Amino acid sequence: MRADGAVEAVFRIEQARIIAAVARVVRDVGIAEELAQDALVAALEQWPESGVPDNPGAWLMATARRRAIDLVRRRETYARKLAEVGRTLEDTWPPPEPADPDDIDDDLLRLVFVSCHPVLSTEARVALTLRLLGGLGTDEIARAFLVPEATVAQRIVRAKRALAKAGVPFEVPYGAERDARLASVLEVIYLVFNEGYAATAGDDLLRPGLCEDALRLARVLSGLMPKEPEVHALAALLELQASRTATRTAPDGTPVLLADQNRARWDRLLIRRGVDALTRASALGGVPGPYALQAAIAACHAGAPTYEETDWATIAALYGRLAALTPSPVVELNRAVAVSMAEGPAAGLALVDALAAGPGGAALKGYHLLPSVRGDLLERLGRTREARAEFVRAAGLTRNERERALLEERAARL
């Protein structure tokens, strides 16, 4: 591999750890990212002549840390901080790798909590997390979410400024604050995965790169926080959902409904990993949280030989528990689908109509899956004219071109 190619490959792998370690010194994620980039530039300048080091990751880490220490030294206002840093870091060239790799992991965990701090908007948390922890460039994030690159760049810059202005400490919170902040971290990873699993807009139903990034972040977090059941539960949910990715679209990109997917092509390794993660979450005890309940639902699907043999009664019950824990019209809509499979389409339609007529109906007014589900239930009941109208309405609401084409095809078939 050419030296410049090696630099880029190693930096993408080590970037999050380098930023995390440097941020512990300078206490500013924006400056930490700049110093990490400086180390990248130094490698691009030196490696083609000196050759790729035996431990390129350690080289980049050492360079970034040394520049961080130099920066602190140049700032008189950071004199006290330098004294603290001097007691914990060796200013040698090149410094050895930390004796305990958990030191870096602790830094990485701090970076996770900072990137997902509630002081930031959801969009800013997602962009900053993918930038600092996922290693994605602004152009990659922009392509993934179908927004202009300038918009993503502005979100990231504003996020860094907001963190600095709020004086967000570079530390892992504890107690009640930790629980609240962890919920934000898990939400960001979940949102990233969902956008990749079922894109809200654009020409493609799936964006596998986002699913992979979210899955990697979930795995890292479960390793950093092994005693948190909902962390393992989220990892389980994403592993199980990702196991179906290859079968969710036809070769031409057309969406394939769950009932029509070839289960022989579901990824058994991911299913096994998901079940193992769910087992770890359960072993930690406590009342199952929202991700544990969703993972249990996904496990029911993964364990069913066919769509018809799925344990729909258990899935409906799990959705009922999920609705009680985190009330949501979307959860109620999913429960109605499960009930329709367990008790018949008439029972499901009654729940959907009650949902549409109640407060949840207003929340789902622009949600294309409400008329889509209703159309499916009406079709199963033989009320084809009404079903066709619902599919047409659903097609007009979705912003995803693949979903729109599928809904229009179902309407035309009726």
Side-chain angles (χ1 to χ4, degrees):
M1 180 185 289
R2 291 177 50 185
D4 53 353
V7 172
E8 294 173 4
V10 173
F11 187 75
R12 179 174 282 268
I13 295 170
E14 300 291 338
Q15 179 182 9
R17 291 178 179 273
I18 295 171
I19 294 173
V22 173
R24 177 157 58 91
V25 178
V26 298
R27 302 285 167 173
D28 186 304
V29 294
I31 294 175
E33 186 182 15
E34 292 175 6
L35 292 172
Q37 293 288 337
D38 287 347
L40 171 64
V41 172
L44 288 170
E45 292 173 347
Q46 298 179 36
W47 290 9
E49 295 183 4
S50 63
V52 178
D54 292 336
N55 192 335
W59 193 101
L60 288 168
M61 179 71 78
T63 302
R65 276 179 156 177
R66 189 176 69 167
R67 296 191 179 203
I69 294 171
D70 290 343
L71 176 63
V72 172
R73 278 180 171 160
R74 288 197 301 269
R75 297 182 176 182
E76 292 182 357
T77 56
Y78 288 168
R80 182 173 59 83
K81 185 181 296 185
L82 176 60
E84 296 174 359
V85 171
R87 288 194 296 270
T88 58
L89 295 177
E90 289 290 332
D91 187 16
T92 59
W93 176 253
E97 280 285 84
D100 184 356
D102 285 342
D103 291 342
I104 298 179
D105 285 348
D106 288 343
D107 291 337
L108 196 58
L109 186 57
R110 293 185 184 97
L111 185 62
V112 170
F113 277 94
V114 170
S115 300
C116 300
H117 197 282
V119 75
L120 306 177
S121 68
T122 300
E123 293 81 6
R125 286 181 231 165
V126 168
L128 191 61
T129 299
L130 288 175
R131 177 77 178 124
L132 298 182
L133 293 160
L136 274 66
T138 53
D139 57 333
E140 294 173 296
I141 301 171
R143 282 198 303 271
F145 285 91
L146 302 180
V147 295
E149 186 175 345
T151 300
V152 173
Q154 288 174 358
R155 287 177 184 172
I156 293 173
V157 169
R158 289 171 182 166
K160 293 173 184 175
R161 288 176 181 168
L163 292 173
K165 184 178 180 181
V168 174
F170 192 73
E171 62 185 22
V172 177
Y174 293 93
E177 183 185 358
R178 176 170 175 163
D179 293 339
R181 292 270 294 280
L182 179 59
S184 173
V185 172
L186 298 179
E187 179 192 27
V188 166
I189 298 174
Y190 183 64
L191 288 173
V192 171
F193 183 88
N194 275 355
E195 184 59 31
Y197 194 71
T200 55
D203 296 331
D204 299 313
L205 178 71
L206 299 174
R207 294 180 195 145
L210 281 179
C211 291
E212 292 167 6
D213 290 325
L215 195 50
R216 186 171 72 252
L217 290 173
R219 289 169 179 167
V220 168
L221 192 60
S222 63
L224 296 176
M225 306 184 72
K227 296 183 180 180
E228 291 289 345
E230 275 293 85
V231 172
H232 292 297
L234 177 63
L237 173 61
L238 302 195
E239 299 277 10
L240 291 165
Q241 294 288 73
S243 72
R244 306 201 298 260
T245 299
T247 64
R248 295 191 67 240
T249 55
D252 62 356
T254 303
V256 178
L257 299 176
L258 179 61
D260 301 323
Q261 290 175 16
N262 180 0
R263 298 186 176 222
R265 293 183 58 221
W266 285 3
D267 192 317
R268 296 297 153 186
L269 174 59
L270 291 180
I271 290 174
R272 192 159 56 248
R273 291 180 66 123
V275 171
D276 288 345
L278 185 56
T279 301
R280 286 193 293 274
S282 300
L284 290 169
V287 178
Y291 296 112
L293 292 172
Q294 292 180 74
I297 292 169
C300 283
H301 287 297
T306 66
Y307 184 75
E308 291 73 21
E309 293 176 89
T310 304
D311 188 351
W312 292 106
T314 295
I315 290 177
L318 287 168
Y319 270 123
R321 292 174 62 185
L322 184 60
L325 185 64
T326 55
S328 161
V330 174
V331 172
E332 291 290 357
L333 184 62
N334 287 327
R335 185 172 76 88
V337 173
V339 168
S340 77
M341 294 302 300
E343 303 176 17
L349 183 60
L351 291 176
V352 170
D353 287 345
L355 176 63
L364 295 177
K365 186 177 181 181
Y367 189 51
H368 71 283
L369 288 183
L370 177 61
S372 175
V373 167
R374 194 167 189 277
D376 183 70
L377 295 175
L378 288 167
E379 181 183 5
R380 288 166 57 190
L381 288 168
R383 296 160 61 178
T384 55
R385 181 175 297 181
E386 295 171 85
R388 182 181 183 280
E390 292 294 336
F391 287 135
V392 169
R393 187 158 71 93
L397 290 175
T398 184
R399 292 188 294 136
N400 185 281
E401 294 302 325
R402 293 293 185 178
E403 284 187 320
R404 178 179 292 116
L406 175 64
L407 290 164
E408 289 174 345
E409 180 187 344
R410 296 191 71 180
R413 197 165 61 238
L414 295 175

